[in-house]
């Protein structure tokens, strides 16, 4: 497969690039900062500088030519304000979906967040609320498109080593999950077209990843 990953220098994306490249897939990582190109290359992907906050639809669509799938793994990240939660976590996702449709790429996997699809917790600050609202809006946008989409909502992310075991369902208790396991779940979802049209929450658990994904295919 040829997979294009938006947010190609993110921690989940780098894990994902290594996994996909190790099995022989062609991987393109879209990055905003050219200084990140070496890290993406080291992970086995081809880095492409494309700032999703300023790029046009045509700018993005050209990079999706001949792709089999798109993974939206971009995010404004820690330290960013409410405005960039909207321009990256919502608007950039919509731009990638527009580009996928323009390029004829049907498979689209969106990394969202647990809590999306609900009202933000009142105890959290305004930036968190903006983040959840942006993720919710991105999901709603994707659901309305004629794409073979899957939405993945991980819980609290950690940099611990992969476990290979998760809890994956439409609704799961709050918990943590390693970024490495999130990447492995994305690989399994890409291999499972039967998961199209599903929004799934993910935390660490006891079920082997392939079995967890197969249960939803």
């Amino acid at each position: 497969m040829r997979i294009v990953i938006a947010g190609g220098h993110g921690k989940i994306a780098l894990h994902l690039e290594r996994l996909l490249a190790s099995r022989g897939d062609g991987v393109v990582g879209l990055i905003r900062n050219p200084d990140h190109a070496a890290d993406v290359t080291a992970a086995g992907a081809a880095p492409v500088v494309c700032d999703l906050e300023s790029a046009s639809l045509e700018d993005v669509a050209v990079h999706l030519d001949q792709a089999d799938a798109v993974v939206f793994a971009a995010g404004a990240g820690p330290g960013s304000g409410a405005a960039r939660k909207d321009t990256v976590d919502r608007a950039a996702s919509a731009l990638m979906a527009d580009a996928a449709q323009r390029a004829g790429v049907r498979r689209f996997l969106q990394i969202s967040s647990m809590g999306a699809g609900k009202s933000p917790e009142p105890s959290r600050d305004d930036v968190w609320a903006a983040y959840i609202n942006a993720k919710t809006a991105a999901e709603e946008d994707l659901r309305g498109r004629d794409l073979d989409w899957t939405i993945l909502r991980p819980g609290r992310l950690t940099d611990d080593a992969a476990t290979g075991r998760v809890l994956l369902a439409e609704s799961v208790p709050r918990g943590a999950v390693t970024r490495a396991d999130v990447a492995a779940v994305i690989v399994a979802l890409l291999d499972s077209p039967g998961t199209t049209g599903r929004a799934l929450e993910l935390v660490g658990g006891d079920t082997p990843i392939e079995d967890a994904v197969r249960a939803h295919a």
Side-chain angles (χ1 to χ4, degrees), residues 69-154:
V70 172
V71 176
F72 184 80
S80 59
R84 292 200 69 228
K85 302 304 184 189
D86 184 71
T87 58
V88 179
D89 292 273
R90 180 198 61 79
S93 177
L95 176 61
M96 284 300 297
D98 283 339
Q101 290 181 301
R102 174 70 62 90
V105 183
R106 292 202 56 82
R107 192 71 172 108
F108 194 104
L109 201 149
Q110 182 188 77
I111 303 177
S112 186
S113 173
M114 189 172 292
K118 305 173 184 176
S119 297
E121 298 172 6
S123 61
R124 305 298 294 266
D125 62 26
D126 291 344
V127 174
W128 175 259
Y131 171 71
I132 291 299
N133 287 334
K135 288 298 189 186
T136 297
E139 288 189 9
E140 291 174 350
D141 173 83
L142 188 59
R143 289 173 187 272
R145 294 178 182 268
D146 183 21
L147 290 170
D148 296 333
W149 55 264
T150 303
I151 295 166
L152 184 65
R153 297 168 170 169

Side-chain angles (χ1 to χ4, degrees), residues 17-192:
E17 288 157 3
R18 294 184 193 101
L19 291 174
L20 293 170
S22 69
R23 68 181 199 170
D25 289 322
V27 189
V28 174
L30 303 186
I31 56 176
R32 180 175 61 87
N33 186 344
D35 293 340
H36 294 159
D39 292 338
V40 174
T41 299
V48 172
V49 177
C50 181
D51 186 346
L52 296 176
E53 290 180 274
S54 60
S56 70
L57 172 57
E58 291 72 21
D59 291 336
V60 180
V62 70
H63 300 308
L64 273 57
D65 185 48
Q66 303 299 313
D68 297 294
V70 172
V71 176
F72 184 80
S80 59
R84 292 200 69 228
K85 302 304 184 189
D86 184 71
T87 58
V88 179
D89 292 273
R90 180 198 61 79
S93 177
L95 176 61
M96 284 300 297
D98 283 339
Q101 290 181 301
R102 174 70 62 90
V105 183
R106 292 202 56 82
R107 192 71 172 108
F108 194 104
L109 201 149
Q110 182 188 77
I111 303 177
S112 186
S113 173
M114 189 172 292
K118 305 173 184 176
S119 297
E121 298 172 6
S123 61
R124 305 298 294 266
D125 62 26
D126 291 344
V127 174
W128 175 259
Y131 171 71
I132 291 299
N133 287 334
K135 288 298 189 186
T136 297
E139 288 189 9
E140 291 174 350
D141 173 83
L142 188 59
R143 289 173 187 272
R145 294 178 182 268
D146 183 21
L147 290 170
D148 296 333
W149 55 264
T150 303
I151 295 166
L152 184 65
R153 297 168 170 169
R156 181 174 56 84
L157 298 169
T158 77
D159 290 321
D160 295 338
T163 68
R165 293 176 176 271
V166 298
L167 176 60
L168 180 71
E170 291 183 359
S171 179
V172 302
R174 288 194 173 275
V177 61
T178 74
R179 289 179 171 89
D181 283 332
V182 175
V185 168
I186 294 167
V187 173
L189 289 170
L190 288 170
D191 289 342
S192 302

